[in-house]
Amino acid sequence: MAQIFSFPDHASMHRDRQPARPQDVPDAVWHAVLSVHGMPMVEGVQFHEVPVPRSIAEYGIGVGIVRAGDTAQTGTRPADRGDGFGRHPGHGDVGFDAPVDVHRIVDEAAWGWITLLYSSDPPRHWNSRWRCAAFCRIPASPGHEHDTDARYTAHCWEAVNAILREAGADASSIAGTVTVSRDTFFGVAPNDLSARYELRASWTPPAAGTGGRDGVDAGIQVTQWAKLIAQGID
C-alpha cells in the first residue's frame, strides 16, 4: 500500500508546525515532503491536498492548485474527493465538490494538480526513482478563444516546457499532451464562446543536494506548476 504524503490543508496557516515523520520513510521521500511543506507560497493560487496513485509508486506527494480569484466566484474550494487517481481532474472527473453551480466553476476556473511519485523499482524511462505527473485546465486568453490550430497548441506546449526547464527538468524527460476544448451553443445562448486548454505533462525532476543520492527539490516542481496556473498562457 502506498504511503501518501499530501500537501497539508491550509498549509500557509501551519508553516511553523513541522510535520511528523512516519516510520520507515526513505530519507529522499521525507526531504521531498519537507521541501513542499517549506516552499514559498505562489501569489494568486490556493493549494489543497489530492490523492496520489497507489498502484504506480510506493510513496507520493499530491498537491491540488486553483487560481485564487476563480474560487471567489462562488465561495467553493476544490476538495479531495478521496476516490483515487483514476478520478482525478483530467481523468474522468471534475475533481470538485458538487455545489449547484459546479459546471460554471469548472469551466471558468484555472486549476490543476501535480503529483510527485517515488518508486524503489521505477520504470526504466524514469531514469530516476522520482517522476512528476501534472494536469491543469486554463481558460483561453482573450483573443485566443478560437485558436485550435497546431501552431497555438505548440505554443502552449512550449510554455509548459519553459516552466519545467526553470524547475531543472531535462527537456528529453518531458512528455505530455495539449487538448483544446470549447463550448458550442445552440438556440438562445450567450455570445461569448469560451475555450480552455487542458495540459498534461510528466517529467523526471532533477537530483538535488539533499535527501541522499535520490533527493529532489520537490517544492520547486510544485511552485513552477502553480506559476503556470496562476499566470496562464498568453
Side-chain angles (χ1 to χ4, degrees):
M1 180 67 69
Q3 297 293 323
I4 299 175
F5 299 97
S6 295
F7 191 81
D9 193 15
H10 306 303
S12 60
M13 298 171 58
H14 304 293
R15 296 178 67 81
D16 57 340
R17 183 189 306 168
Q18 189 82 347
R21 179 174 180 170
Q23 292 183 339
D24 302 324
V25 176
D27 288 344
V29 174
W30 190 242
H31 279 282
V33 171
L34 295 180
S35 173
V36 173
H37 183 265
M39 72 182 189
M41 294 293 98
V42 177
E43 183 177 357
V45 299
Q46 296 176 356
F47 296 101
H48 61 280
E49 56 189 320
V50 296
V52 298
R54 298 169 182 263
S55 60
I56 299 176
E58 297 147 84
Y59 299 91
I61 302 170
V63 184
I65 306 161
V66 64
R67 195 160 59 193
D70 294 336
T71 60
Q73 295 171 6
T74 63
T76 303
R77 66 176 291 276
D80 174 1
R81 295 177 62 93
D83 47 9
F85 185 70
R87 294 176 64 79
H88 266 263
H91 289 266
D93 201 353
V94 296
F96 280 72
D97 279 340
V100 173
D101 51 355
V102 64
H103 297 293
R104 183 170 69 86
I105 301 173
V106 172
D107 286 346
E108 296 180 2
W111 56 275
W113 50 260
I114 177 173
T115 59
L116 295 98
L117 310 175
Y118 177 92
S119 174
S120 61
D121 185 22
R124 181 176 300 177
H125 73 275
W126 286 18
N127 293 316
S128 169
R129 295 187 188 275
W130 287 96
R131 187 73 175 173
C132 298
F135 167 87
C136 67
R137 175 183 284 189
I138 302 175
S141 300
H144 293 292
E145 296 88 345
H146 301 282
D147 289 344
T148 59
D149 61 12
R151 182 168 55 185
Y152 192 69
T153 55
H155 170 70
C156 292
W157 184 243
E158 177 53 36
V160 171
N161 273 259
I163 282 286
L164 299 183
R165 289 196 299 268
E166 289 181 17
D170 188 306
S172 65
S173 78
I174 304 171
T177 63
V178 178
T179 302
V180 182
S181 61
R182 68 173 72 250
D183 296 323
T184 302
F185 293 107
F186 299 93
V188 179
N191 293 323
D192 54 332
L193 299 181
S194 61
R196 60 205 66 85
Y197 301 93
E198 296 181 355
L199 311 173
R200 296 169 176 83
S202 65
W203 67 97
T204 297
T210 58
R213 67 183 181 88
D214 295 322
V216 297
D217 186 346
I220 190 62
Q221 310 303 314
V222 177
T223 296
Q224 288 301 109
W225 197 252
K227 286 181 179 179
L228 177 66
I229 294 171
Q231 298 167 4
I233 300 175
D234 294 328

